[in-house]
């Protein structure tokens, strides 16, 4: 019995789970996890199943003999086709090993200390490491970002991530860094369909590239000269993944920024060597300006159609003549084509300028400096489409030194002295995306950062080193034609006449100002209007 004021405690009936049911639930739970792991890792699952089967059937010989055969086959494969060996065997195997025993071991610590871990509902949420793909020099980590993160957060922490994993260089790509391969053969349609899935756009994924072995420490030898140069892919440098970096020169201007003794000559001479076959055949005309009195380019004088190295007046004349060629081609090609196609009769004109600041900032003659700046502005704004290109190198990329640096679509940053100069050369945010051109070591002459077509992320490359003997041999083997300097003769050729235009009727209009204001400004004119 209960009376008023007594405390009543009502408890629901307690349900006790039998021990056998709890054990069954645990077994089902761990069995499902094991099945799911096997489905996510089919290669490891099949390898383990085959190994167990061979051991049961043939004892230890069933494991030793296949391992020996695989090792011998791997050695032969690498000897015959090392690139495919890395792509299909060594790369995935090394990537799996480094993902398991190197990156996952310190992943939580690295993400937390680098500021990439987030907190949601009072618990720590980390970016997920999906895959590691390795090659001879690089580790490419595929990372799924936490919801709400952007690739810019990873790019700002790229230097921290590099040192967190024991490396010196790291870059972050918002899109897959490699391009889909070109498929040929009867199974090309199937491989093309697979590539569409592999290379699809994945906004939640970023790719962290860590340089495991710096392949750019060794000097890059000159690339073989091409008889007919491909202006959309001129081989000039070696990338960190040991592939060749090629310059797309057609319909663009190139700016090379770098401190003194950092390898600007390597870039310029690599370009000259890539164009040497076209120079000899008359497909390319090099107009070279060397304000240092010829100290850089005098060795290759036979390859140049025009060369100015001592007189600034002659340099200004050369730029003015380039503008004349540009104007003539504009008149002749207008309404016919949008991009000039180089031919021997109508060659590509490449104006190469070393130490451009000597013409735009340090020249004491103000009138001559304004004249040069006017010609350069016209060439940079209008010359790319008609095949009159400018390739310029300078040490100081500030606006006061080069006011029209934004007119260079293609930019190359070698070793620089200040962090702010990196963004001046490559564009805003380039340093945050991994272009640490201001931290180049002493040995890194000819090492720089470039921007690949279509992607904002910089790529680190090393340009080939062309020795003085190589330059002399090029000048002897690939001289410019005897009539290379008379390209200005095409300016006088007949062009299409301007069509006659009927003038439109125009109504006579009165004064633009009212009479009261005209009287205040000029009383005499006001009286005349009356």
């Amino acid at each position: 019995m209960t009376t008023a004021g007594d405390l009543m405690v009502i408890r629901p009936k307690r349900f006790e789970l039998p021990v056998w049911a709890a054990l069954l639930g645990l077994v089902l739970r761990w069995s499902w996890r094991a099945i799911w792991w096997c489905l996510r890792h089919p290669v490891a699952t099949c390898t383990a199943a085959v190994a167990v089967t061979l051991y049961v059937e043939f004892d230890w010989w069933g494991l030793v003999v296949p391992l020996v055969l695989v090792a011998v086959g791997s050695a032969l494969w690498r000897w015959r086709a090392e690139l495919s060996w890395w792509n299909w065997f060594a790369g995935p195997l090394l990537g799996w090993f480094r993902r398991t025993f190197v990156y996952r071991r310190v992943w939580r610590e690295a993400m937390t200390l680098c500021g990439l871990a987030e907190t949601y509902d009072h618990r720590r949420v980390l970016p997920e490491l999906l895959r590691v793909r390795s090659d001879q020099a690089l580790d490419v980590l595929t990372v799924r970002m936490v919801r709400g993160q952007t690739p810019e957060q990873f790019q700002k922490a790229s230097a921290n991530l590099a040192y967190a994993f024991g490396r010196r260089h790291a870059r972050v790509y918002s899109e897959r860094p490699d391009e889909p391969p070109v498929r040929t053969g009867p199974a090309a349609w199937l491989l093309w369909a697979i590539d569409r899935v592999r290379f699809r756009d994945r906004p939640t994924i970023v790719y962290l590239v860590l340089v495991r072995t710096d392949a750019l420490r060794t000097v890059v030898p000159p690339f073989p000269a091409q008889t007919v140069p491909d202006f959309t892919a001129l081989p000039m440098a070696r990338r960190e993944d040991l592939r060749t970096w090629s310059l797309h020169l057609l319909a663009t201007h190139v700016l090379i920024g770098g401190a003194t003794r950092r390898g600007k000559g390597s870039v310029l001479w690599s370009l000259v060597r890539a164009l040497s076959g076209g120079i000899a055949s008359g497909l390319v005309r090099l107009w070279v300006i060397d304000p240092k009195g010829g100290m850089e380019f005098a060795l290759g004088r036979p390859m140049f159609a025009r060369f100015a190295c001592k007189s600034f007046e002659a340099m200004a004349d050369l730029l003015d003549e380039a503008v004349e060629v540009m104007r003539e081609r504009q008149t002749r090609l207008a309404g016919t084509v949008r991009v000039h196609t180089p031919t021997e009769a109508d060659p590509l004109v490449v104006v190469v300028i070393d130490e451009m600041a000597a013409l735009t900032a340090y020249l004491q003659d103000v009138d001559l400096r304004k004249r040069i700046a006017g010609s350069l502005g016209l060439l940079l704004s209008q010359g790319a489409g008609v095949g009159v290109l400018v390739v310029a190198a300078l040490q100081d990329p500030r606006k006061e030194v080069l006011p029209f640096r934004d007119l260079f679509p293609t930019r190359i940053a070698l070793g620089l002295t200040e962090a702010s100069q990196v963004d001046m050369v490559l564009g805003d945010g380039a340093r945050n995306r991994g272009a640490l051109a201001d931290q180049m070591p002493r040995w890194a002459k000819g090492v720089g950062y470039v921007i690949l077509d279509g992607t904002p992320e910089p790529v680190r490359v090393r340009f080939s080193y062309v020795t003085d003997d190589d330059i002399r041999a090029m000048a002897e083997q690939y001289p410019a034609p005897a009539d290379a300097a008379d390209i200005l003769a095409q300016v006088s050729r007949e062009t299409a006449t301007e069509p006659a235009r009927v003038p439109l009727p125009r109504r006579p209009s009165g004064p633009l100002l009212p009479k009261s204001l005209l009287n205040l400004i000029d009383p005499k004119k006001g009286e005349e209007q009356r």
Side-chain angles (χ1 to χ4, degrees):
M1 295 182 62
T2 61
T3 60
D6 290 344
L7 179 64
M8 296 181 61
V9 179
I10 302 175
R11 296 177 180 175
K13 185 177 180 181
R14 186 176 180 181
F15 176 74
E16 294 184 358
L17 185 68
V19 177
W20 65 268
L23 293 177
L24 179 62
L26 291 176
V27 170
L28 293 176
R29 178 182 179 184
W30 289 107
S31 299
W32 167 248
R33 289 190 175 184
I35 294 173
W36 179 246
W37 188 93
C38 293
L39 294 175
R40 291 185 61 186
H41 303 84
V43 177
T45 302
C46 294
T47 302
V50 171
V52 171
T53 303
L54 292 175
Y55 177 75
V56 172
E57 292 292 335
F58 305 101
D59 203 10
W60 288 105
W61 289 105
L63 299 179
V64 174
V65 173
L67 288 177
V68 173
L69 294 177
V70 169
V72 174
S74 174
L76 292 175
W77 188 1
R78 183 178 184 182
W79 175 52
R80 300 293 296 178
E82 184 175 3
L83 182 60
S84 64
W85 179 77
W86 273 106
N87 290 337
W88 297 100
F89 181 75
L93 184 62
L94 181 60
W96 171 83
F97 177 84
R98 294 187 62 80
R99 175 178 180 268
T100 304
F101 297 101
V102 176
Y103 295 110
R104 291 190 64 87
R105 185 172 56 86
V106 296
W107 187 254
R108 175 177 292 274
E109 179 184 1
M111 293 296 104
T112 303
L113 297 180
C114 291
L116 296 174
E118 304 291 344
T119 302
Y120 174 73
D121 197 16
H122 304 289
R123 63 188 182 91
R124 184 72 67 181
V125 183
L126 300 175
E128 183 181 358
L129 178 62
L130 301 179
R131 180 190 176 195
V132 177
R133 180 173 56 86
S134 301
D135 57 19
Q136 301 98 310
L138 305 178
D139 287 341
V140 181
L141 282 64
T142 304
V143 182
R144 178 181 285 118
M145 297 181 292
V146 176
R147 190 178 298 275
Q149 285 184 336
T150 60
E152 285 74 14
Q153 295 176 255
F154 283 80
Q155 291 168 352
K156 292 180 180 179
S158 59
N160 305 74
L161 290 170
Y163 283 92
F165 293 116
R167 303 299 167 194
R168 291 191 179 274
H169 304 286
R171 268 171 303 286
V172 176
Y173 294 86
S174 56
E175 298 179 359
R176 190 168 175 137
D178 52 345
E179 298 178 356
V182 179
R183 301 298 188 180
T184 57
W189 63 273
L190 177 60
L191 297 176
W192 178 76
I194 295 175
D195 289 340
R196 286 194 63 182
V197 177
R198 290 177 56 205
F199 292 88
R200 68 186 184 276
D201 185 24
R202 305 173 69 183
T204 61
I205 301 298
V206 293
Y207 301 90
L208 174 61
V209 178
L210 294 167
V211 180
R212 189 178 68 254
T213 301
D214 196 350
L216 305 183
R217 278 188 170 270
T218 58
V219 177
V220 180
F223 292 92
Q226 300 177 348
T227 306
V228 180
D230 182 2
F231 298 113
T232 62
L234 298 173
M236 293 180 56
R238 177 190 295 164
R239 294 172 44 163
E240 289 175 324
D241 55 3
L242 300 179
R243 291 189 292 175
T244 300
W245 180 80
S246 300
L247 173 66
H248 188 290
L249 183 63
L250 192 64
T252 189
H253 304 292
V254 183
L255 176 64
I256 306 163
T260 182
R261 310 296 298 175
R262 285 297 186 175
K264 294 189 294 296
S266 296
V267 184
L268 294 174
W269 281 113
S270 296
L271 175 61
V272 173
R273 184 171 181 84
L275 296 173
S276 57
I279 293 172
S281 64
L283 198 62
V284 182
R285 297 284 193 267
L286 285 185
W287 292 15
V288 178
I289 297 176
D290 188 356
K292 295 187 294 185
M295 292 299 297
E296 181 67 40
F297 284 101
L299 286 176
R301 178 65 183 89
M303 304 180 68
F304 309 144
R306 299 290 305 279
F307 185 61
C309 64
K310 296 181 180 180
S311 172
F312 286 99
E313 185 73 28
M315 300 176 193
D317 292 341
L318 187 149
L319 293 174
D320 290 342
E321 292 166 3
V323 173
E324 290 183 29
V325 175
M326 179 191 71
R327 292 297 192 196
E328 186 275 335
R329 288 186 178 179
Q330 287 176 337
T331 305
R332 177 163 45 88
L333 301 178
T336 305
V337 295
R338 296 178 61 186
V339 178
H340 169 263
T341 301
T343 61
E344 295 183 7
D346 207 10
L348 183 73
V349 178
V350 182
V351 181
V352 180
I353 307 174
D354 189 23
E355 298 299 342
M356 193 173 186
L359 304 179
T360 59
Y362 306 145
L363 184 59
Q364 296 181 354
D365 191 334
V366 179
D367 295 335
L368 195 59
R369 188 167 69 241
K370 291 181 179 179
R371 177 184 163 193
I372 291 173
S375 299
L376 283 173
L378 290 173
L379 291 174
L380 292 173
S381 60
Q382 305 176 25
V386 295
V388 182
L389 313 180
V390 177
V391 178
L394 78 165
Q395 298 183 27
D396 190 353
R398 292 177 300 169
K399 276 285 188 181
E400 307 86 68
V401 177
L402 187 63
F404 30 74
R405 68 168 186 241
D406 294 335
L407 298 178
F408 288 90
T410 303
R411 304 181 189 183
I412 300 171
L414 302 173
L416 296 167
T417 57
E418 300 177 7
S420 60
Q421 293 181 351
V422 179
D423 292 343
M424 294 180 188
V425 176
L426 296 179
D428 292 339
R431 193 179 187 278
N432 289 335
R433 293 192 294 268
L436 304 179
D438 58 307
Q439 298 182 7
M440 288 288 187
R442 293 183 178 180
W443 58 264
K445 295 181 179 180
V447 178
Y449 292 88
V450 298
I451 301 295
L452 291 178
D453 295 334
T455 58
E457 289 83 6
V459 174
R460 186 167 168 262
V461 301
R462 183 164 191 170
F463 291 89
S464 62
Y465 176 61
V466 185
T467 64
D468 292 350
D469 294 336
D470 294 329
I471 296 173
R472 294 189 184 95
M474 277 196 307
E476 183 178 354
Q477 186 177 0
Y478 302 102
D483 59 346
D486 70 347
I487 190 172
L488 289 177
Q490 66 179 325
V491 177
S492 60
R493 71 176 63 167
E494 295 182 1
T495 57
T497 58
E498 189 71 15
R501 303 182 186 276
V502 180
L504 297 176
R506 190 172 183 179
R507 296 180 180 178
S509 59
L512 298 178
L513 297 177
K515 295 181 180 180
S516 58
L517 291 179
L518 287 175
N519 292 334
L520 293 175
I521 297 173
D522 193 348
K524 295 182 179 180
K525 290 187 177 180
E527 294 177 359
E528 294 176 358
Q529 293 291 335
R530 294 174 185 172

